[in-house]
Amino acid sequence: MEYISTRGRASAVDFEGALLAGLAPDGGLYMPEAWPRLTVSEARRIGEMPYAKAAAEILSFFAGDAVDSALLHEMTADAYGGFADPAVAPLRKVGDDDYILELFHGPTLAFKDFAMQILGRLFDAALTRRDETLTIIVATSGDTGSAAIEALKSCARVNIVVLHPEGRVSEVQRRMMTSVIAPNVCNIAVDGSFDDCQAIVKALFADETFVRSVRLGGVNSINWARLAAQTVYYYTAWASVAGKDEPVSFVVPTGNFGDVFAGYAAKKMGLPVAKLGVAANANDILHRAISKGDYTPATVRPTASPSMDIQVASNFERLLFEAKGRDNTALRDLMEKFSDKRSMRIDDATLAAIREDFVSAAVSEEETLAEIAQHEKATGDLIDPHTAVARAAAIRLRGEGVISGKIITLSTAHPAKFPEAVEQATGRTPALPKAYSDLFDRPEEMRKAPAAADAIKSIVNDLFAKGSA
Ligand SMILES: Cc1ncc(COP(=O)(O)O)c(C=O)c1O
Ligand SMILES: N[C@@H](CCOP(=O)(O)O)C(=O)O
C-alpha cells in the first residue's frame, strides 16, 4: 500500500514512511493511494472479532507489506490488553436506536489512546530495525499530548516535545502531561491557542534543515497511522448493532476532523455507514463549512469542551482532497489561497460531495451543560463535555429528520478529565480512576514559550539536537 500527498509534490511512501514522516514534505497530508476494500461480510467477520484481533486485521489492510502481520497481532494484543474495560470499546444502549461508544478506557482516559498505543509500538519496532532516532513534536488541546507521552515515554529512540495552549486545557489534562518527568519528554505551555501550537508544528515541518537535524516526526492526526488505527472502532461498533448490511450513522465530537475522517475512511473501505455527524462546540467553523460552505476561522472561544477549541482543522484538507476528486493541483491551489486569505468559500460541487457523507450541528455551552445534566438524569451516568456536545447534536439531528435509524455517538473522554463542567451540570464530581488518584500531588515540569516557531525550535535544538536521544 502506497501513500500519496494531498498536495501532489512529494514522492509516494509506504505505511512506515508515512508513519515516520508525519507530514508530507510538500506540506500535504498522506492518504492511501487507493482505499482498501472489504465486503460487508468481511467487515462483519472482522468487526465481531475481539478488539485487538480486529485492529490487527484492519491495520494489515493499511500497512500492506510494511509491517509483518504476526507482529501487528502481537502489538495490538499488547496495546489493548491494558485497557480498563475488557471490551476495549464498549457500547451502551441509551435509547431505542441510540448508542454511546465509550472510547475512554485506555491509559490516559481519552480516545487518543486507541491510536497512540499502537503508534508507540510501531515507532519502537521501525526505529530499532533502522537504528534511528526521532524527535516527535505534538500540538495538543489537552488529550493528544498525554496519550502521546504515555505511549512514547519509554521508547528509548524517541524524544517528545508537547505544545499545549497555556491555561486552555483542564487542570487534569495539564497534570497528566506535565507530571511525566523524563529525560526524553518536554512539555511547553505556549502563550496562544491550540491553532497557534498546530501552526508552529507545521512551520517546523516546513523547515527542511530543522527536520533533518532533529529528525522530526509527528503524532497528531496529520499522521496517517493515527487515522488508520481509529477506523477500527467504527467496525466493532457497527458489527455490534447493525443487522445484516444495515447502514448505521455515527455522530462524532469534532475539532481537528481526525476522528470523523477515520469514520469516513471506514465507509470508503466498504463499511455500511449512513451519515457521519460532525458535532462542533461554539467553535463552529466545521459546521459553517458543511452547512454553508464558509470555512473562515474566527477567534478561538474557550469552552467547557476545550479539546475541541480548534478553528483550523488539519484533516479538513483530506476531506477537500477527496471531495475534489483527488485533484491535487486544485487542492494545492485552494490551500495556498486559504493560507493567504485565511478564508475559504467551498464551491457547490465540492459541498455537494461533502454532504453525501457528512451532516453537522453546532452545540452551545448551555446546551452542552444541559445535555450532561439530562443524560445523568435519564441514565444515572456521567458524560464528559465533548461527549455531551455530540450527544446533543445526535438528538437534534434525529429530531430534525437529518439522520434516522441507528445512531452511535462517540464518547471520547472520561468525565473525570473535566470535573468542573460535570460538577456544574450535575452537582456530582466524577472520580478519577485509581491510577490517577495521586495526580494532584505529583510534581509538574514544563517550560513556557511565546507562540513563535523560532522559540520552540531553539528549545528543541538545545534539548534534542541530533544524536541525543
Ligand atoms: C475528548 C475529545 N473529543 C473530541 C476531539 C475532537 O477530535 P478530532 O480532533 O479528531 O476531531 C478531541 C480532540 O481531538 C478530544 O480530545
Ligand atoms: N483535540 C486534540 C487536538 C489535536 O488533535 P489530533 O487528533 O490532531 O492530535 C487534543 O486533545 O490534543
Side-chain angles (χ1 to χ4, degrees), residues 110-112 141-144 173 221 226 230 252-260 307-308 310 315 384 386 412-413 418:
F111 76 102
K112 310 288 179 171
S141 53
D143 291 321
T144 297
Q173 287 179 311
S221 55
R226 277 276 310 276
Q230 288 175 218
V252 186
T254 298
N256 226 0
F257 208 77
D259 208 7
V260 77
S307 303
M308 284 153 59
I310 298 176
N315 289 284
D384 97 289
H386 304 77
T412 46
F418 308 94

Side-chain angles (χ1 to χ4, degrees), residues 25 60 138 177 190 197 210 242 269 273 340 378 381 392 407-408 410 425 442 464:
S60 304
V138 185
M177 297 187 276
V190 172
C197 298
F210 181 72
M269 292 165 73
V273 173
D340 281 354
D381 293 335
I407 301 181
I408 297 174
L410 272 55
R442 295 180 193 170
F464 304 130

Side-chain angles (χ1 to χ4, degrees), residues 280-303:
N281 66 17
N283 296 290
D284 64 352
I285 177 170
L286 290 167
H287 174 55
R288 280 185 282 117
I290 294 166
S291 60
K292 299 187 190 133
D294 171 25
Y295 189 70
T296 306
T299 305
V300 183
R301 285 175 57 185
T303 70

Side-chain angles (χ1 to χ4, degrees), residues 31 35 224 227 257-265 315 318-319 322:
M31 286 281 286
W35 292 108
W224 178 260
L227 301 196
F257 208 77
D259 208 7
V260 77
F261 194 82
Y264 171 84
N315 289 284
R318 285 189 165 116
L319 177 62
E322 284 282 287

